[in-house]
Amino acid sequence: MILDHRKALVVYSGGQDSTTCLFWAKKHFDEVRALCFRYGQKHVVEVDIARGIAERAGVPFEEKDVSFISELSTGCSLTDTSIIMDKEPPTPSPDMPDGRITPPNTFVPGRNLFFLAIAAVYAREHGIMNLVTGVSQTDYSGYPDCRDSFIRSLNVSLNLAMDEQFVIHTPLMWIDKAETWKLADELGVFDLVRNETLTCYNGVKGDGCGECPACKLRRQGLKKYLSSL
Ligand code: ZN
């Protein structure tokens, strides 16, 4: 299979991070597609929001149902309505990149592993060399599969698995939420990201519920960015 270096596939959820990545990809590649997953998330409205934004961006959109992911493990508050969500994102610690910290109960084990593996197979089928994901180690919230070491390792594994030369791009890996807002602004989509995306774990679009850890992180970043202008 010949992979085209001008084509990119964005793992897309309709949130602040992946929407910023969607427009980043549009700037850097000639052909962009978006792949979205239903994984049993309670805030499944994000899939419709993602589709709508992709349409507005003129990006072909596809969704895949991988709900079995949430059936493999228990204890995740994003997929199990009986579990109360951890309110606070874990406090970053100096030893964060290599030290182990306990992920919050919003962690879905294997999510990014499954998403990127499926994305790579999909990309191969469509001759797409570049995979784009919005993970960030800076604000990684204790999710081990958002770390750079995991992404690099997976990139190697995917290439070995299919004897291909995929390149996983992580434009947000080393920037914080405030810098992600700045990037959206530079890409000319600040208002779209602020008003149309859904980051909130409780399914509230735009500025969100303000209570869940995803909202808190997003708001802190927005405040920091706006105060820097
Ligand atoms: Zn929220």
Side-chain angles (χ1 to χ4, degrees):
M1 179 67 63
I2 295 174
L3 304 180
D4 190 331
H5 68 278
R6 296 164 302 178
K7 295 183 180 178
L9 178 67
V10 179
V11 177
Y12 189 46
S13 73
Q16 176 194 358
D17 293 342
S18 63
T19 300
T20 304
C21 286
L22 187 75
F23 287 92
W24 178 89
K26 272 176 65 85
K27 182 181 172 187
H28 288 90
F29 302 102
D30 294 340
E31 273 186 57
V32 177
R33 280 174 178 262
L35 187 62
C36 185
F37 294 100
R38 290 179 186 268
Y39 60 92
Q41 67 271 55
K42 287 187 282 191
H43 52 300
V44 70
V45 63
E46 72 177 11
V47 176
D48 296 325
I49 285 173
R51 185 187 301 104
I53 296 172
E55 276 174 16
R56 279 177 64 168
V59 172
F61 176 90
E62 194 153 342
E63 64 174 82
K64 296 288 176 198
D65 191 328
V66 293
S67 302
F68 67 90
I69 290 174
S70 64
E71 295 160 12
L72 296 174
S73 51
T74 56
C76 174
S77 62
L78 286 196
T79 53
D80 185 338
T81 47
S82 69
I83 297 174
I84 298 168
M85 192 180 297
D86 285 344
K87 287 283 183 204
E88 300 293 333
T91 309
S93 59
D95 58 348
M96 196 165 59
D98 301 303
R100 284 173 63 91
I101 68 168
T102 307
N105 70 14
T106 47
F107 176 55
V108 183
R111 181 171 53 178
N112 285 336
L113 174 66
F114 288 120
F115 285 6
L116 283 162
I118 292 165
V121 177
Y122 180 94
R124 182 179 181 277
E125 186 61 28
H126 291 85
I128 300 170
M129 178 181 282
N130 302 287
L131 305 173
V132 183
T133 170
V135 298
S136 170
Q137 181 157 327
T138 310
D139 278 338
Y140 89 119
S141 299
Y143 300 158
D145 57 354
C146 289
R147 291 181 295 191
D148 191 55
S149 54
F150 163 70
I151 297 294
R152 287 169 183 265
S153 160
L154 182 62
N155 200 153
V156 173
S157 294
L158 291 173
N159 288 346
L160 289 172
M162 287 176 268
D163 198 15
E164 296 289 1
Q165 292 298 320
F166 296 110
V167 180
I168 302 181
H169 299 264
T170 53
L172 313 183
M173 183 60 79
W174 303 112
I175 66 176
D176 66 13
K177 274 282 186 286
E179 291 164 319
T180 302
W181 283 112
K182 181 169 184 272
L183 178 58
D185 211 358
E186 287 166 358
L187 292 165
V189 291
F190 177 86
D191 287 336
L192 183 149
V193 172
R194 178 161 186 190
N195 299 322
E196 304 300 328
T197 62
L198 189 149
T199 303
C200 175
Y201 290 150
N202 290 316
V204 182
K205 204 169 85 166
D207 287 341
C209 75
E211 296 296 320
C212 73
C215 276
K216 285 179 178 167
L217 206 54
R218 173 172 161 145
R219 280 188 182 197
Q220 284 165 10
L222 181 61
K223 204 175 153 194
K224 187 175 162 192
Y225 174 59
L226 292 176
S227 66
S228 75
L229 295 176

